[in-house]
Amino acid sequence: MLGDLTAGEKDVFTLVRAEGLTFGYTGELLSITKSSVQTYLERAERKIEKRKNGSLFLVS
């Protein structure tokens, strides 16, 4: 599911969702702003949801 994500989206998604880091700390680690972390995460989650819904549609 992460294959459709850009490198930035993948990094942010992994750090925030898998590792449980805060937006602020993730931003510090990646040298981006907290708002950029939020934007990357929102994009990643939309792409994952779209892919997930598409996969479910094909299976039905």
Side-chain angles (χ1 to χ4, degrees):
M1 293 256 175
L2 299 181
D4 293 338
L5 305 183
T6 66
E9 292 166 348
K10 199 177 299 184
D11 290 343
V12 167
F13 184 83
T14 302
L15 291 172
V16 173
R17 293 296 182 231
E19 301 294 328
L21 301 182
T22 65
F23 287 11
Y25 189 58
T26 298
E28 287 179 37
L29 290 175
L30 300 176
S31 299
I32 59 176
T33 65
K34 187 176 173 180
S35 63
S36 291
V37 170
Q38 184 173 359
T39 300
Y40 280 126
L41 185 61
E42 288 170 355
R43 285 183 195 159
E45 289 178 335
R46 273 196 309 268
K47 287 180 181 179
I48 290 168
E49 190 64 29
K50 184 176 178 181
R51 175 112 185 214
K52 196 166 53 170
N53 288 339
S55 295
L56 292 175
F57 177 74
L58 293 174
V59 172
S60 296

